[in-house]
Amino acid sequence: MRVSLVAALMLASTAALAQQNPPSPNPPTVAPTLAPLGFLLGDWTGGGKTADGGMARGTSTIKAVAGGGGLLRQDHTDLMGQDGRPVPGAGFDQIMLIYPQDGTLRADYLDGQHTIHYTSAQVVPGESVIFLAEATPATPGFRLGYTKVDGGTLHVKFEMAPPGAPGYMTVAEGDVKRRK
């Protein structure tokens, strides 16, 4: 249940931040290894469905940091139950740092209760990225994907593979819109 909330909040946070901050007319410079992810930069708002039948909504800002050597995603997510009402105490903040290391892209996610270390990424430059955290006997695997729908929309999908499970289940999925 908590993972469902986290995923839903991730989607919501990304969407809400987009509405608060318009994109800069002069986008920041990023390192060449991060340039294929330039489509992620900006302020986003949106939401989507959670695995338990609820909804998530939120805001997200993704910006270049450390002289363009990393991308920082900062989100706030709120969860709603199946009845559409906010779940008391279910809002949360999260961050994710995306960076190149050892010839691949990595990312570290933190929401105050969970940490996910994505150890690889599959990238279609300017179009999509899927971050992967492999399952171990004690921990689930995770897959977080961003796909560019158009210049102002990203489709976000967060999946989990429980230890020993044959595949991934969708935890949360939805679209975020760029704040204009």
Side-chain angles (χ1 to χ4, degrees), residues 56-122:
R57 66 174 179 217
T59 60
S60 182
T61 296
I62 303 173
K63 62 184 177 182
V65 294
L71 300 180
L72 179 63
R73 188 190 95 198
Q74 295 176 283
D75 303 340
H76 177 78
T77 302
D78 292 308
L79 296 176
M80 280 67 62
Q82 293 178 356
D83 62 1
R85 292 187 172 146
V87 175
F92 64 94
D93 295 315
Q94 59 224 336
I95 61 170
M96 189 166 97
L97 180 63
I98 303 164
Y99 55 95
Q101 183 180 2
D102 300 330
T104 190
L105 290 177
R106 298 180 184 264
D108 292 319
Y109 166 87
L110 175 68
D111 68 12
Q113 293 187 359
H114 301 92
T115 302
I116 300 173
H117 300 288
Y118 293 100
T119 57
S120 65
Q122 300 167 348

Side-chain angles (χ1 to χ4, degrees), residues 133-142 160-169:
E134 298 297 324
T136 70
T139 62
F142 294 98
M160 178 182 72
Y168 287 89
M169 62 179 243

Side-chain angles (χ1 to χ4, degrees), residues 22 31 41 68 77 90 109 137-138 148 155 172-173:
L41 295 172
T77 302
Y109 166 87
K148 181 178 174 182
H155 184 74
E173 182 172 18

